[in-house]
Amino acid sequence: MAKEKKIVVKKQAYIVNDEIADQIRAKMEEKNKLFFNIMGSIGAGKTLLLERIAERLSSKYRVFVINGDVATTIDADRIARQGATTVQINTGGGCHLTAKLILSELDKIDVDNYDIFFAENVGNLICPSSWDIGAQLNIVVVSITEGEYVIKKHPIIFKGADIAIINKCDLEGSDFDSKVLREDAAKIKSGMKVICTSAKSGLGVDEFISTLGIKNP
Ligand SMILES: Nc1nc2c(ncn2[C@@H]2O[C@H](COP(=O)(O)OP(=O)(O)OP(=O)(O)O)[C@@H](O)[C@H]2O)c(=O)[nH]1
Ligand SMILES: [Mg+2]
């Protein structure tokens, strides 16, 4: 395919994706449902945070989680054990979820049977930033073991986020420090909420849930 034609096809894919994302957002808002996109690095703790959240919410809310990974159903199985309904999307080689993939899962269920929806995007800080999946809030998770430059090196995903989670704060000490990451996240987008969490100990998880606007967990 000629280079110009490839560019047009790529642009068209983004336009179609954004149209589907807007449809998903409108449908969720019309039905009074919450839908959150959890993005972040590989191993930052997205799934463990979702396990903690499902654990806290499942007695009051019907939680549906769509997990995106290249392969396996490990993450969906982990979160399902905490009382949420889950579905795993395997992207093959794909490094992000798309609005079309989300819609195809939502079309298989009765959305009215659930209150709160989460998508765990494929672990990386690059591709998911370009693909709107129709969530009301975009969250980026990094952990303090990823080094002090991780936010500075990935400004685009943080600029598009509503909440930055600095996870693994239980490891704070002489080897790892959350200070620079918290400051970088706050600087990169004014007004962005930054929360230090430990999905392991539960630190900051209640604050995260209330920042999502979820009442009385
Ligand atoms: N100490 C500590 N370990 C954590 C924390 N959160 C996650 N982990 C550990 O980090 C590893 C990766 O956690 P996951 O929740 O699978 O990370 P993820 O972001 O879902 O990873 P991918 O889905 O593979 O991108 C696991 O061994 C977790 O037990 C935390 O807050 N503190
Ligand atoms: Mg995961």
Side-chain angles (χ1 to χ4, degrees):
M1 202 187 292
K3 197 176 171 194
E4 293 76 30
K5 197 168 176 199
K6 269 189 189 165
I7 292 168
V8 170
V9 169
K10 212 168 174 188
K11 273 192 186 156
Q12 191 61 32
Y14 283 122
I15 291 166
V16 170
N17 181 79
D18 287 356
E19 281 171 5
I20 299 171
D22 285 342
Q23 282 165 27
I24 293 170
R25 217 169 357 257
K27 183 176 171 180
M28 291 300 201
E29 273 158 24
E30 180 200 310
K31 289 180 172 287
N32 212 16
K33 308 294 178 188
L34 297 173
F35 177 31
F36 306 109
N37 178 19
I38 312 286
M39 302 176 285
S41 344
I42 296 181
K46 299 178 295 301
T47 305
L48 198 55
L49 277 166
L50 283 165
E51 286 182 77
R52 293 286 87 83
I53 289 170
E55 208 174 47
R56 276 170 170 73
L57 299 185
S58 295
S59 59
K60 281 206 173 161
Y61 294 101
R62 299 163 300 175
V63 179
F64 191 84
V65 182
I66 299 170
N67 282 93
D69 267 309
V70 171
T72 83
T73 61
I74 293 169
D75 286 2
D77 295 343
R78 283 170 58 189
I79 299 167
R81 286 196 283 273
Q82 306 306 325
T85 304
T86 64
V87 63
Q88 183 84 45
I89 295 176
N90 284 146
T91 59
C95 56
H96 60 87
L97 292 173
T98 61
K100 192 175 170 193
L101 285 169
I102 297 291
L103 186 63
S104 74
E105 294 306 326
L106 296 179
D107 281 347
K108 291 178 196 159
I109 59 165
D110 184 347
V111 167
D112 289 326
N113 285 340
Y114 302 94
D115 306 303
I116 305 174
F117 296 77
F118 292 90
E120 178 184 342
N121 222 307
V122 181
N124 72 87
L125 293 170
I126 303 161
C127 322
S129 66
S130 313
W131 295 86
D132 186 354
I133 60 166
Q136 289 135 352
L137 290 177
N138 291 300
I139 297 100
V140 189
V141 184
V142 290
S143 55
I144 65 172
T145 54
E146 290 162 47
E148 68 258 50
Y149 306 118
V150 67
I151 293 178
K152 284 188 184 81
K153 286 182 180 179
H154 298 93
I156 297 167
I157 197 162
F158 285 91
K159 282 192 178 125
D162 302 289
I163 303 170
I165 299 292
I166 316 296
N167 191 40
K168 306 197 185 178
C169 285
D170 56 287
L171 299 176
E172 189 114 44
S174 53
D175 288 336
F176 303 112
D177 184 4
S178 68
K179 187 168 174 279
V180 175
L181 295 180
R182 283 187 280 115
E183 286 173 357
D184 284 350
K187 261 187 252 162
I188 229 157
K189 188 178 172 189
S190 75
M192 180 156 64
K193 178 81 179 167
V194 183
I195 307 172
C196 215
T197 60
S198 167
K200 193 174 183 185
S201 73
L203 170 85
V205 174
D206 289 335
E207 187 185 356
F208 183 20
I209 290 171
S210 71
T211 304
L212 293 175
I214 299 168
K215 307 232 165 37
N216 308 316

